[in-house]
Amino acid sequence: MEHPSGSPEFYHPLALDFIRVFELEVGNISDPVVGRLVPQAIDGEPYEAVSYVWGDRWNRRDISVDGLAVSVTANLHGALTAFRPRPSVNSAGRDPGTGQEQRQVRRLWIDAVCINQGDLSERTSQVQLMARIFAGASHVLAWLGWEEDEGSQQHVQSAINFIHDFMKDSEAGLREARILLHHHDVTEPAERLVDLSEDDRQRFEAQARIWESVKAFFEIEYFHRTWVVQELGLAQEATLYSALKPHDRAKPVHLELHSVSWPLVGRFARFLDYSGALLVTHLGLRSWVVHHTWMAWETEEDGAPRWDFLTTMHWVRIHGVTDARDRVYSLLGHPLAVLDGDVIVKPDYTITRGVIYTRLAANIIKKTKNLHVVNFVDHEYGPYLGARDWDPQDDSRMPSWVPDWHSINRTAPMHYPIDAAENEDAEISIEGGIEGSEGTLLPHLLVRGWIVDEITAVSRRMETIDFPVSNAIRERAKDNPFWLDHLWEFLAPPQSFNNCDALAVLETLSLALSFGTMEEDQPVSNFEPRQTLEEHRRSFAACILEYHELLHGMLKASGLEDDSTLPARSLYDSLPVEAQGELRRRAQGTTSERFLQSMTWQAMCRVVYRTASGHVGIGSRITLPGDLVCRVRGSPLLMTLRRMQAGPKMKMDTKPNTDTGCYAYIGPTIVPARQQKHTGDSERFNEQAVHFRIL
């Protein structure tokens, strides 16, 4: 949030649980924006709340507040211009006694005007009320911004109309859109479409145009702002608005607002993620950002939140925010943002994000005695452990086991229904302070568990654009063409497989990539569409065969058997004859689409690895050979840890026979062969017991 350029004297102190409401006066499109601030109890007179994004900070306009000129961003000025009441055109707006025009106002709450954010104390207290402000508003008005007139290309209006129509029969709409997947890219020249019939060409061009508008719609800056998540999620009613930008303000203009309800947009984005992931990735739609906003407030049938507070924070890490501490503060209205009746962390703008995030993680671990929070660590780069002291000048300083909610989020939360170990452990402890005092050591996480295996080889990072099986042109354009065949070369170096071994390794790989299936005794995915194990096996087999046929077709057409970008042979060709026959039987009558849909978001930006014992796993993109796969009490997932040397600055009070080493936390991981029922105590595999000190 920002503050207007007026002096602090513009505001008067607010009483406890009081807010200011901006009474916006009537005006035409070219009139100055005029209004006044009225303090009231938060549950007093009805008001509407404006949800918007600041936009260009240097592009500003003046408005009049209580007779004083206040500078606000052009985007906020546009929202006030669009939302203010219009002058009455008939007697309905006149006082029946005097015949004089009545004074009309629209009562709005707007952060930049209603909060004196030059006053840190007021800003902090109002942030604590933010959830109540938006939940108490009669209506949340979400301003998407002006739409520029580009001739016939009015993307927002086109997208809004399309979303209304599409959601009347979403399955039919998706079937029609799949023509974009099965033919050449939208950006390729028209002559590339000569193989299409005239009807199909027209369908293709019509779909290309409308999905271009949908793409532009989801790229609107508004959807990518962190505070929007709570503002929309808590609203009793929320509507998204845009309007064609008036260029000649001197002339009277009829301002037509284009609108769509937030629930409809949320359901549209959800449907695309769960049923059209291939279309989303192929077209580069950013609908998943909107879906993450929607997911933050999803509920079960009984009304309980579907996602806990930490998962919700992970969903919205991709959203933009000016102040990294607001990653936490902007979600404190979530129903599960409480521990033992208290808010999970209190707003404090005097300390760094590293201290806030560490306090959050430490408080959760201490109170729950589980390690669920560390499974949201998603390092962009390898954890830096050269300096292990708190530094109030370093906003990013925090332990390796604390999620940096401000880092770029590229992955979906990892989950697996078969727990790797007990969900709680009373012996979990944290050594060191979490106050962030300069020169004191960062806290260490002390846990106990077992070393499962050592990682010996790591694949290239997988990207969503790698996954679809399409055609020779698109495959050659990929950074990682024939990813599945290359992955198999990496996992299964030339060696003799018998039929059972090959199918077993393939199944382990497929379950790792998709985080399992919906089978009762198999891993269960929280992502739709969920498949039974039999459906999963059939669709995965179809994926193998589709890549095999594409590769053979390319080699036959071009004669480029020596092309180094192509695999030496397809996955299918490397298998024993009996395994090939089984895959053909499974793939009969199905396609790869369900498998690719189920694994796209889970596998994106992760790596597959092989361990010293030959196990297959999937984990963090910063995984390196030599890292350890570990089973830790209190963590439902396996962990990847990296051995560290305890330097002289550690000053550890190490107890004999307790700590066997210091480790950096790399991230959660899945090894399907080692996550089976009744193996949480690790006795079945005779794994090495260790007490871990995680820095």
Side-chain angles (χ1 to χ4, degrees):
M1 297 186 300
E2 309 285 348
H3 64 84
S5 59
S7 67
E9 288 76 15
F10 180 82
Y11 299 96
H12 302 288
L14 288 170
L16 183 66
D17 287 344
F18 263 62
I19 61 174
R20 301 183 186 93
V21 172
F22 184 57
E23 293 190 340
L24 178 61
E25 295 190 358
V26 66
N28 281 313
I29 189 72
S30 58
D31 293 337
V33 174
V34 178
R36 63 183 182 275
L37 286 174
V38 177
Q40 68 170 58
I42 192 171
D43 55 356
E45 294 297 315
Y47 62 91
E48 298 171 291
V50 178
S51 177
Y52 69 104
V53 62
W54 271 73
D56 185 351
R57 299 161 184 259
W58 302 106
N59 185 8
R60 308 186 73 84
R61 302 283 189 277
D62 281 349
I63 66 173
S64 176
V65 182
D66 287 349
L68 297 178
V70 175
S71 176
V72 299
T73 63
N75 197 49
L76 175 54
H77 185 274
L80 296 174
T81 301
F83 292 147
R84 66 180 165 186
R86 300 284 173 256
S88 302
V89 295
N90 52 44
S91 60
R94 298 184 178 277
D95 186 292
T98 65
Q100 299 294 315
E101 186 173 322
Q102 291 180 328
R103 189 179 190 185
Q104 302 175 50
V105 297
R106 191 168 194 176
R107 309 187 74 249
L108 303 174
W109 186 91
I110 314 151
D111 60 356
V113 178
C114 297
I115 299 177
N116 177 11
Q117 294 188 32
D119 182 338
L120 184 60
S121 176
E122 179 177 307
R123 179 186 174 193
T124 301
S125 64
Q126 290 287 290
V127 165
Q128 294 183 56
L129 294 176
M130 201 70 72
R132 292 176 61 191
I133 290 170
F134 277 88
S138 61
H139 190 191
V140 171
L141 312 172
W143 176 243
L144 303 181
W146 295 116
E147 181 170 16
E148 299 287 347
D149 185 1
E150 301 176 1
S152 62
Q153 292 296 328
Q154 295 180 18
H155 288 306
V156 177
Q157 182 179 358
S158 297
I160 286 175
N161 292 339
F162 175 73
I163 290 170
H164 280 289
D165 291 339
F166 184 96
M167 292 305 288
K168 293 174 183 176
D169 190 344
S170 54
E171 291 292 346
L174 184 58
R175 285 195 300 271
E176 188 70 10
R178 286 195 177 110
I179 192 173
L180 299 176
L181 287 172
H182 299 318
H183 296 285
H184 298 294
D185 293 329
V186 175
T187 56
E188 295 192 357
E191 56 265 25
R192 293 280 178 87
L193 304 177
V194 294
D195 57 324
L196 296 180
S197 68
E198 184 61 28
D199 286 346
D200 281 348
R201 181 196 292 268
Q202 291 179 1
R203 284 178 54 219
F204 181 93
E205 292 173 348
Q207 287 294 308
R209 284 194 299 271
I210 192 59
W211 285 98
E212 181 184 0
S213 292
V214 173
K215 178 178 171 67
F217 179 76
F218 284 122
E219 289 174 353
I220 292 173
E221 186 181 2
Y222 173 83
F223 292 121
H224 303 265
R225 175 176 169 263
T226 297
W227 280 96
V228 162
V229 177
Q230 180 168 268
E231 292 165 5
L232 292 176
L234 292 175
Q236 300 177 43
E237 179 184 1
T239 307
L240 311 177
Y241 294 93
S242 181
L244 190 63
K245 186 175 183 180
H247 290 286
D248 189 354
R249 291 176 177 265
K251 297 180 180 179
V253 176
H254 173 65
L255 189 65
E256 181 181 357
L257 291 179
H258 309 305
S259 65
V260 60
S261 75
W262 161 242
L264 187 66
V265 173
R267 291 195 298 271
F268 177 63
R270 180 182 187 273
F271 176 80
L272 291 181
D273 257 15
Y274 284 157
S275 300
L278 297 181
L279 183 70
V280 170
T281 57
H282 171 64
L283 298 179
L285 302 181
R286 302 189 71 185
S287 54
W288 47 271
V289 177
V290 175
H291 184 210
H292 285 192
T293 300
W294 180 257
M295 292 174 75
W297 307 95
E298 281 187 313
T299 58
E300 303 288 2
E301 292 183 2
D302 62 359
R306 184 179 183 190
W307 308 104
D308 61 70
F309 180 70
L310 295 173
T311 304
T312 299
M313 285 193 63
H314 187 90
W315 287 134
V316 302
R317 284 167 75 167
I318 196 62
H319 291 64
V321 69
T322 301
D323 190 320
R325 293 165 291 195
D326 287 337
R327 296 281 183 199
V328 182
Y329 303 158
S330 66
L331 289 173
L332 292 181
H334 192 275
L336 297 183
V338 292
L339 275 176
D340 296 338
D342 295 325
V343 65
I344 206 161
V345 65
K346 292 185 178 180
D348 186 345
Y349 287 101
T350 67
I351 55 180
T352 67
R353 84 170 193 256
V355 176
I356 288 293
Y357 297 170
T358 302
R359 287 182 182 177
L360 174 67
N363 288 342
I364 291 173
I365 291 172
K366 288 177 180 178
K367 291 188 177 183
T368 64
K369 289 301 180 181
N370 69 54
L371 300 171
H372 177 56
V373 64
V374 307
N375 291 324
F376 294 95
V377 170
D378 186 27
H379 296 298
E380 178 70 8
Y381 307 102
Y384 174 68
L385 295 172
R388 299 186 176 97
D389 292 346
W390 283 114
D391 179 0
Q393 305 306 313
D394 185 350
D395 192 54
S396 63
R397 185 71 58 86
M398 65 192 81
S400 69
W401 49 271
V402 172
D404 182 357
W405 302 105
H406 197 52
S407 68
I408 298 174
N409 170 30
R410 301 186 188 277
T411 59
M414 189 171 275
H415 55 88
Y416 214 71
I418 301 177
D419 294 338
E422 299 91 334
N423 277 313
E424 296 182 12
D425 183 16
E427 295 190 27
I428 295 172
S429 63
I430 296 173
E431 184 178 280
I434 59 174
E435 299 306 311
S437 302
E438 185 172 7
T440 60
L441 284 175
L442 295 173
H444 303 158
L445 179 63
L446 307 182
V447 295
R448 55 185 184 146
W450 301 266
I451 294 176
V452 174
D453 211 342
E454 181 174 341
I455 294 170
T456 55
V458 180
S459 75
R460 293 181 60 180
R461 190 173 80 181
M462 296 177 288
E463 305 289 353
T464 55
I465 59 174
D466 295 333
F467 303 143
V469 190
S470 53
N471 55 50
I473 294 174
R474 279 199 209 136
E475 203 64 36
R476 287 198 174 282
K478 293 178 180 179
D479 291 333
N480 189 17
F482 293 96
W483 69 280
L484 186 56
D485 298 305
H486 279 302
L487 198 60
W488 185 250
E489 286 181 341
F490 154 78
L491 290 174
Q495 59 185 358
S496 297
F497 271 124
N498 64 44
N499 186 53
C500 293
D501 288 343
L503 292 176
V505 175
L506 281 171
E507 181 148 307
T508 299
L509 171 62
S510 70
L511 291 175
L513 289 170
S514 64
F515 296 178
T517 71
M518 64 178 295
E519 201 79 359
E520 182 179 356
D521 294 326
Q522 293 293 328
V524 178
S525 170
N526 284 334
F527 296 85
E528 296 180 6
R530 296 190 290 181
Q531 301 182 87
T532 65
L533 180 59
E534 180 62 24
E535 291 170 333
H536 175 84
R537 286 171 173 164
R538 294 182 65 225
S539 187
F540 180 58
C543 187
I544 294 172
L545 285 169
E546 287 172 19
Y547 268 118
H548 165 75
E549 290 163 5
L550 177 59
L551 177 61
H552 274 250
M554 289 176 64
L555 293 174
K556 183 177 179 180
S558 63
L560 297 178
E561 289 85 350
D562 296 330
D563 189 335
S564 61
T565 65
L566 303 180
R569 56 179 177 171
S570 70
L571 188 166
Y572 177 83
D573 280 337
S574 72
L575 299 175
V577 174
E578 295 85 351
Q580 291 179 350
E582 176 61 18
L583 289 180
R584 285 204 172 275
R585 184 194 67 79
R586 292 180 182 181
Q588 189 172 3
T590 191
T591 70
S592 64
E593 187 168 327
R594 290 292 298 276
F595 168 72
L596 292 174
Q597 173 71 34
S598 70
M599 57 79 64
T600 292
W601 303 127
Q602 288 87 313
M604 70 174 183
C605 295
R606 299 193 189 275
V607 298
V608 172
Y609 59 79
R610 187 177 67 246
T611 72
S613 301
H615 295 304
V616 176
I618 186 171
S620 166
R621 59 186 174 274
I622 67 165
T623 302
L624 295 174
D627 289 345
L628 302 175
V629 178
C630 303
R631 191 188 311 273
V632 176
R633 294 184 186 274
S635 173
L637 287 169
L638 297 171
M639 294 182 179
T640 304
L641 301 179
R642 187 169 296 165
R643 290 190 182 93
M644 304 294 296
Q645 294 298 321
K649 285 195 70 177
M650 297 298 293
K651 304 176 184 177
M652 296 186 301
D653 182 19
T654 305
K655 300 177 182 179
N657 302 320
T658 300
D659 295 282
T660 60
C662 299
Y663 302 82
Y665 183 80
I666 301 303
T669 190
I670 288 174
V671 180
R674 286 298 183 94
Q675 288 179 252
Q676 303 172 10
K677 288 189 174 181
H678 313 303
T679 59
D681 58 7
S682 198
E683 292 180 356
R684 180 174 177 182
F685 298 113
N686 297 316
E687 296 166 356
Q688 177 187 351
V690 177
H691 282 69
F692 301 98
R693 178 181 289 269
I694 305 178
L695 307 183

